[in-house]
């Protein structure tokens, strides 16, 4: 696959991954507050956010481990801390707080990706897509909190 084809695929997958967040934010505006079998949209958004936070944090491990200067301990430890904080919030906190913690986690992970970009780990196109999708996700989580 060409580099441009890979970039387009990445962007498509990243935006497609944001669809559940956008749906959870917008469905209450149509009078839908829960889904059969799954439950509340806040629960759906929170559980999906935990999966995506974990995925994004895990992807940073690959970059940290591939650093020619050696593994970046701050990235390795920080990504674990972000993931565990979001998971503990999911287990113990009200859903609105969990969504807030996850929104903060996405922002922190984006900042880490900016740091990795400075070290040459990411292409500029990747970071633009990450920034745009992260903004969309954080706004969707905020709307989910407000509409549920």
């Amino acid at each position: 696959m060409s580099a441009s084809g890979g970039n387009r695929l990445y962007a498509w997958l990243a935006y497609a991954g944001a669809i559940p967040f956008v749906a959870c934010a917008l469905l209450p505006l149509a009078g839908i507050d829960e889904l059969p079998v799954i439950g509340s949209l806040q629960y759906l958004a929170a559980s999906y956010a935990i999966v995506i936070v974990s995925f994004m944090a895990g992807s940073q491990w690959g970059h940290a481990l591939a650093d020619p200067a050696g593994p970046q301990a701050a990235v390795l430890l920080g990504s674990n801390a972000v993931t565990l904080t979001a998971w503990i919030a999911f287990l113990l906190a009200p859903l609105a707080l969990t969504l807030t913690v996850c929104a903060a986690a996405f922002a922190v992970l984006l900042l880490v990706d900016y740091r990795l970009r400075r070290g040459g780990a990411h292409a500029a196109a990747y970071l633009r897509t990450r920034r745009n999708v992260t903004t969309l996700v954080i706004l969707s989580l905020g709307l989910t909190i407000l509409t549920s």
Side-chain angles (χ1 to χ4, degrees), residues 60-72:
Q60 292 177 345
W61 269 57
H63 296 292
L65 293 173
D67 189 334
Q72 298 178 18

Side-chain angles (χ1 to χ4, degrees), residues 96-115:
L97 180 56
T98 299
L99 294 172
T100 302
V101 168
C102 287
F106 286 122
V108 167
L109 292 170
L110 179 61
L111 292 174
V112 171
D113 275 338
Y114 273 104
R115 180 173 178 252

Side-chain angles (χ1 to χ4, degrees), residues 1-15 125 129:
M1 178 179 288
S2 71
S4 63
N7 288 342
R8 282 192 303 270
L9 177 60
Y10 169 78
W12 275 98
L13 291 173
Y15 281 103
T129 300

Side-chain angles (χ1 to χ4, degrees), residues 7 11 18 21 24 45 52 54 56 62 66 78 82 85 88-89 91 94 102 111-112 114 120 130 135 137 140 147:
N7 288 342
F21 293 115
C24 288
I52 301 303
S54 299
M56 296 308 303
V82 167
T85 299
I88 289 168
L91 292 175
C102 287
L111 292 174
V112 171
Y114 273 104
R130 276 278 286 122
T135 300
V137 167
S140 295
T147 59

Side-chain angles (χ1 to χ4, degrees), residues 22-79:
V22 173
C24 288
L26 296 180
L27 285 173
L29 300 175
I32 301 169
D33 295 320
E34 62 181 58
L35 298 176
V37 181
I38 295 172
S40 78
L41 294 173
Q42 276 196 345
Y43 177 81
L44 176 61
S47 62
Y48 184 63
I50 297 301
V51 170
I52 301 303
V53 163
S54 299
F55 173 78
M56 296 308 303
S59 72
Q60 292 177 345
W61 269 57
H63 296 292
L65 293 173
D67 189 334
Q72 298 178 18
V75 174
L76 298 175
L77 294 170
S79 65

